[in-house]
Amino acid sequence: MLRVGLTGGIGSGKSTVARRLVAHGAVLVDSDALAREVVAPGTDGLAEVVAAFGAEVLDADGALDRPALAGVVFGDPAARERLNAIVHPRVRARSDELIATAAPDAVVVQDVPLLVENGMAPRFPLVVVVHAEAEERVRRLVRLRGMSEADARARIAAQADDAARRAAADVWLDNGRAPGDLDATVDELWERRLVPFEANLRERRIVPAGAPRLVAPDPGWAEQAARLRARVAAAAGERGRGVAHTGSTAVPGLPATDVIDLQLGVESLADADAVRDALQDAGFPWRPDIDHDNPTPPGAPVWPKRLHGTADPGRAVHLHVRQVGTPGWRCALLLRDWLRADAAARDEYLGVEREAAARYAADLDAGRYAAFEEPWFDAALTRAQAWAATSAWVPSLD
């Protein structure tokens, strides 16, 4: 089963995307609908709302008068928090019930309007954000929902801005074009990403990174890594000791293969094994074929770790799980920071990368590409350690 978080600002067209995904076979869990269900007449949720805000929030039939309630909480953060404390736990519990009834191979789309605002993005293996420009959303709200322009603008202003949503989005759907364009984009998302992602996730199957190919530096790598770091940290929970972006894509301005390397720190490899299933459920299948407890070749330093890949066909990831403070954990952070600081070292390493990429351009075994680079790293480590000693370097996740 794949759980997809779907969100977007009011008037963005999120419901249109949800309907299209349901038409393809997705199971929809609509938080707005559940928020109404848990405070329907006769529920304990409604009784608690009345106890908190008074009978003035009921209409003549005893149902919740939503405009009246909105008038009470919209401009009062404390009142809004009280309402959220009543409604949100009930919505989460009801969502869990519905998800539990879905088929094992389902793509479950959770439509959550305030997913970004409530910090829920790391809980999902994939987050889809539907976007439309603010002026277009105002026009839609006035024309289709009968809001006043002032009310529409106030509601938009009260939600997360585009920058916050972009930071949370694995997939950004632009709904400012013709409806047919959006439909085609959603159809492609379903076929090329969601369906294979679900199958990979269920079967614990890793998406191959493919043949190594250097690409130009992507400013988006840092934001993508931040999103993935939060997801890994949420999956690892209290056993995690921090997640860092490492490898070539963590060095600004450096061409690299388009793979995000992450390092999860743990207290021990027993903790690494304990969080394995949670990482796999979050979209990072384990690589049991690689034994990092034994040195290769014999006599080499033992830098044990656990390695996870990705089930998401849209983003290549290598997740290294290492014990905090060990040479391997420290080395990953040191080499990254040294390359960030030393332009000559970056140029030298880029030459090695280019030679490796040219030599193994058609080789689907990324291990040979990595093995070609290892002698350079082994020799460079001494220089990096000397730089660390003179620069008062200390390990940092960032």
Side-chain angles (χ1 to χ4, degrees):
M1 177 188 295
L2 171 65
R3 291 171 53 248
V4 177
L6 174 65
T7 194
I10 185 171
S12 63
K14 176 171 51 63
S15 297
T16 301
V17 172
R19 285 193 294 270
R20 190 74 178 181
L21 291 171
V22 168
H24 279 293
V27 175
L28 178 64
V29 178
D30 186 335
S31 293
D32 263 352
L34 296 183
R36 293 176 181 273
E37 177 185 315
V38 299
V39 291
T43 62
D44 62 345
L46 181 59
E48 193 168 342
V49 169
V50 172
F53 300 102
E56 295 80 9
V57 298
L58 297 178
D59 63 20
D61 297 322
L64 186 63
D65 185 336
R66 292 185 173 275
L69 180 60
V72 173
V73 306
F74 187 71
D76 185 341
R80 192 160 59 247
E81 284 298 318
R82 289 200 302 274
L83 178 62
N84 290 343
I86 296 169
V87 174
H88 288 178
R90 289 174 168 84
V91 170
R92 283 196 296 269
R94 183 66 179 127
S95 296
D96 291 343
E97 290 175 4
L98 295 174
I99 293 168
T101 65
D105 61 350
V107 175
V108 176
V109 175
Q110 293 183 243
D111 182 338
V112 187
L114 299 181
L115 182 148
V116 174
E117 291 84 344
N118 292 331
M120 297 172 62
R123 303 180 191 176
F124 295 93
L126 194 78
V127 171
V128 176
V129 174
V130 185
H131 169 73
E133 295 297 333
E135 291 305 314
E136 174 60 23
R137 291 161 60 196
V138 169
R139 286 191 289 272
R140 291 173 184 173
L141 294 173
V142 171
R143 185 178 70 252
L144 302 177
R145 301 195 193 182
M147 289 186 187
S148 69
E149 181 177 336
D151 188 19
R153 293 187 183 280
R155 288 176 180 265
I156 289 172
Q159 294 185 334
D161 60 19
D162 289 344
R165 290 198 183 94
R166 279 193 182 275
D170 299 292
V171 178
W172 183 264
L173 295 180
D174 187 352
N175 190 22
R177 299 172 293 172
D181 292 340
L182 180 64
D183 288 347
T185 302
V186 174
D187 294 346
E188 182 177 6
L189 171 65
W190 176 264
E191 294 293 337
R192 296 193 178 184
R193 194 161 186 179
L194 301 188
V195 170
F197 194 169
E198 187 285 320
N200 294 338
L201 194 62
R202 175 167 34 89
E203 297 173 10
R204 304 303 201 208
R205 185 168 59 216
I206 294 171
V207 178
R213 183 173 66 88
L214 287 184
V215 299
D218 183 351
W221 281 334
E223 188 172 86
Q224 294 168 33
R227 192 160 53 244
L228 292 162
R229 288 171 64 187
R231 189 167 290 144
V232 169
E238 63 182 13
R239 292 182 183 272
R241 294 296 180 268
V243 187
H245 182 198
T246 60
S248 300
T249 59
V251 181
L254 181 66
T257 56
D258 190 14
V259 179
I260 301 293
D261 280 277
L262 302 175
Q263 177 171 266
L264 167 64
V266 290
E267 287 294 330
S268 69
L269 287 185
D271 289 310
D273 296 336
V275 302
R276 177 185 302 155
D277 286 344
L279 292 174
Q280 295 192 119
D281 290 342
F284 306 100
W286 174 46
R287 288 285 305 269
D289 55 311
I290 298 179
D291 182 358
H292 292 277
D293 292 338
N294 297 316
T296 303
V302 181
W303 287 359
K305 69 175 179 180
R306 299 291 183 260
L307 180 63
H308 292 247
T310 181
D312 179 4
R315 167 36 63 205
V317 178
H318 293 156
L319 171 58
H320 312 261
V321 187
R322 294 186 175 100
Q323 183 178 348
V324 171
T326 58
W329 176 86
R330 188 177 186 277
C331 179
L333 301 175
L334 171 59
L335 288 171
R336 177 201 66 185
D337 292 349
W338 175 56
L339 288 174
R340 286 175 175 175
D342 191 322
R346 283 197 305 277
D347 290 342
E348 185 180 324
Y349 174 52
L350 179 57
V352 175
E353 278 195 307
R354 284 175 171 158
E355 184 177 353
R359 182 173 299 208
Y360 298 105
D363 195 336
L364 296 180
D365 182 1
R368 281 188 280 269
Y369 176 94
F372 181 84
E373 294 183 326
E374 281 180 6
W376 184 86
F377 278 117
D378 290 343
L381 182 56
T382 300
R383 293 154 56 196
Q385 289 169 335
W387 168 82
T390 58
S391 63
W393 174 83
V394 292
S396 167
L397 298 182
D398 296 321

